[in-house]
Amino acid sequence: MEPSAASPDAPEKARVLLVDDKAEHLLALRAILDRPDYDLVCARSGAEALAQILRAEFAVVLLDVVMPGIDGLEAARLIRERPRAQQLPIILLSADADDPEKVARGYAAGAVDFLAKPFDPRVIRSKVAIFVALFRQTRETERRGEALQASERRERELAEALYDVTFEEAPIGIGHADTQGRWLRVNQRMAQLLNLQRDDLREANVADLAHPDDRVRLLEGIAAVLAGKEAHHRGEYRFMRKDGSVAWLVVRLSMLRDRRGAPVALTIIEDVSEQRRLADSLQVSETLFSRLQESGLLGVVFESAAGTLMQANDAFLQLIGHTRDDLERGDIRLSELVPAEYDEVEARAREEIRLQGVCRTYEKELVRKDARRVSVLCGASSTLLPEPGIVCFALDVTERRQAERERGHMLRELRAGVRARDDFLAIAAHELRTPVTPILVGISSLLLTVRKAAEPLAPEWLQRRLAPIDRAAHRLDRLIDTLLDVSRVTVGPMRLELEEVDLCGTVREVADRLRMELERAGCALTVRADGPVLGRWDRLLVEQVVSNLLANALKYGAGHPIEIDVSATDDAARISVLDHGIGIAEDAQARIFERFERLVSVRHYGGFGLGLWIVRQIVESHGGKIEVWSRPGAGSRFTVQLPRIAIRQPAPRLPEVTQ
Ligand code: ADP
């Protein structure tokens, strides 16, 4: 019979087995022990009692000693033999409870108490109550123990399931090996790392796949952990993959015990090939960078987020002319090193760094401590080390820039020279042809006349015909002289043959030579040269100065008077040539002393554009100077000043193109 289902709150009913062959005794016992939390079960014999005990669990048995068949003592002994009833409390009931012999036999048979008949109901109730309470307590303890075991089992199962999932799904290789270092179990990732099927690893040794050069080291690590010398071992080892490639793996070994307590080595393997490759390449680039930084070729500087220079190499400090003390005091600000005109370029570079972490290389200038500027090619990138900021490099390109500027300047000069030479050739061709034509035409017609003439030609006629030829020949001669002068001045320093010269005499002589031409040009000449004005000069060259200035005055001032004045101080002599001709625009006045510079068209006014340039060379080589005053339409005054004793000047350097 199963215990009746109790309500959830009511305590489980405790079964009490009452054994007596007499029905009235059983009835009396039932009456005494009637309680709602007791389930009273009656048996009329020892055999029936045994059957009941086999069927259900009892809290206590009240067993009559004197019964026909199996008596109480025998029944007690048999009950004790049942495994599930070994702890069952048996209270023997007897009229002979005072007989010590019987009581001793009863206890020997397994009874826990001996009650005398007739019963005292209070004694029976209290004794049964004690045993029931004990039974209940034992049952409760057992129940709690079972519940605890069940929850422990569940937790263990959960932990194992969790471990299994973790083991399988872990992104790192995990394996268990036995104390011989042989694999017991490996997860999927481990097989992947070693490029093997899981079955390939079973029974294999952990070190089997290690690179031959690393195997001994790994075996030593395994042995140290297995022998308990090290609690854990960690090392990086190369392993050979099935395809022959090498993988760098971090192996961690630790000792753990399996469920039966047998030691198992746990191995965890991580693939660090990529980290290793990155670390190697990082090291290479760091080495390269530090070599570059130390080489002194490249300035490297770190700017903090606050705009302060934190670190700079010697090359950078040299570039900006600051000392390391300036840097350490935090005095140098990168923004102050860059001139304002680079603000826009600089802002663009910083924006690029903000958006892309790096900016393209660009050129700018840096202002040194001594205020000089250096041209640099620079680039920059954001960095987090040593703290968030920008790392910049700067390469000094000042010399290159300077060379480029010079090259550009030379190129411009060269082009101008070539252009001037071409212009000159065109002008020279035209100029030389101008006197040649009247010579050729005059001589041809003269020859013709001579051949045809029957009688000698009259001298007056001949003179008339020869005069223009003579003039043209002289003009040609002067032009050729001018060209020779140019080449003389250009080829090397002008050689001065100094002697005492009277400037007034020279002016008068030149004026005399040009008398005919002045007349033809309709220029009345006034010479105010009440000399002598003496000095040590090169006579021929001074003559040429006067001649060129007078020739220009009659060319550009034809039909107007010309005035020449010679004057002197203690130290210097002065000649001024004034005409009332076309004049020279103010902005062109400086140019006319340069080679080939002409303000007028060759068709209206002949000339090479060299006369004034030669004058300037001669005057300056004597240590003197030439000035012009002029107003367009009103005329020009050229004034030459010469020191009384020529101070020889080195010839000016000239572009080579004219050679
Ligand atoms: P050119 O052979 O052309 O006269 P110059 O060197 O003597 O060469 O003079 C250079 C230029 O200066 C002339 O082409 C002319 O335009 C201007 N110039 C020189 N002298 C005078 C002057 N007295 N009056 C006006 N222009 C002059």
Side-chain angles (χ1 to χ4, degrees), residues 467-513:
I469 297 173
D470 180 54
R471 275 201 305 276
H474 272 93
R475 179 161 163 69
L476 190 61
D477 184 46
R478 273 205 308 279
L479 287 173
I480 290 167
D481 269 354
T482 306
L483 290 179
L484 284 174
D485 289 342
V486 174
S487 62
R488 217 174 52 186
V489 172
T490 317
V491 163
M494 204 176 270
R495 273 203 311 276
L496 303 182
E497 283 172 21
L498 299 182
E499 59 183 300
E500 189 162 84
V501 179
D502 172 16
L503 198 55
C504 293
T506 306
V507 168
R508 277 194 296 271
E509 270 169 43
V510 174
D512 209 35
R513 272 209 296 273

Side-chain angles (χ1 to χ4, degrees), residues 241-308:
R241 291 206 173 100
K242 207 173 191 175
D243 59 5
S245 62
V246 173
W248 270 102
L249 302 177
V250 167
V251 176
R252 293 168 213 269
L253 291 167
S254 47
M255 180 67 100
L256 87 166
R257 298 187 181 273
D258 68 9
R259 269 172 238 161
R260 291 179 302 282
V264 179
L266 172 74
T267 312
I268 296 178
I269 290 185
E270 283 170 55
D271 187 354
V272 290
S273 307
E274 186 60 10
Q275 287 102 302
R276 190 85 188 199
R277 201 183 57 70
L278 287 176
D280 285 353
S281 61
L282 194 69
Q283 200 181 352
V284 169
S285 59
E286 266 178 8
T287 310
L288 285 176
F289 184 66
S290 55
R291 289 257 169 83
L292 202 61
Q293 211 182 344
E294 287 155 13
S295 69
L297 292 172
L298 194 68
V300 180
V301 62
F302 171 77
E303 186 199 28
S304 75
T308 317

Side-chain angles (χ1 to χ4, degrees), residues 22 47 64 140 149 188 218 241 251 273 298 320 417 449 472 483 501-502 505 516 607 615 629 641 655:
K22 294 190 184 68
D64 185 25
E140 180 58 21
Q149 269 179 4
Q188 190 58 38
L218 178 59
R241 291 206 173 100
V251 176
S273 307
L298 194 68
I320 58 170
T449 314
L483 290 179
V501 179
D502 172 16
M516 294 268 289
V615 168
W629 167 93
Q641 191 167 314

Side-chain angles (χ1 to χ4, degrees), residues 548-549 552-553 555-557 579 581-584 592-594 597-600 605-613 630 635-636 638:
N548 285 8
L549 292 178
N552 277 353
K555 185 159 64 173
Y556 301 109
D579 66 55
I582 59 172
I584 303 159
I592 55 175
F593 297 102
E594 297 300 326
E597 286 292 348
R598 308 189 77 242
L599 309 178
V600 289
Y605 300 94
F608 293 132
L610 289 167
L612 286 181
W613 177 74
S630 182
S636 313
F638 287 85

Side-chain angles (χ1 to χ4, degrees), residues 166-168 170 172-175 185-191 198:
T166 314
F167 180 84
E168 271 313 312
I172 50 173
I174 307 175
R185 185 184 178 204
V186 296
N187 70 351
Q188 190 58 38
R189 178 72 185 136
M190 176 84 90
R198 270 196 244 207

Side-chain angles (χ1 to χ4, degrees), residues 628-657:
V628 63
W629 167 93
S630 182
R631 198 169 298 143
S636 313
R637 183 202 297 275
F638 287 85
T639 309
V640 168
Q641 191 167 314
L642 292 172
R644 282 294 185 99
I645 299 172
I647 306 156
R648 284 192 179 87
Q649 299 294 313
R653 233 180 106 239
L654 298 164
E656 285 156 18
V657 66

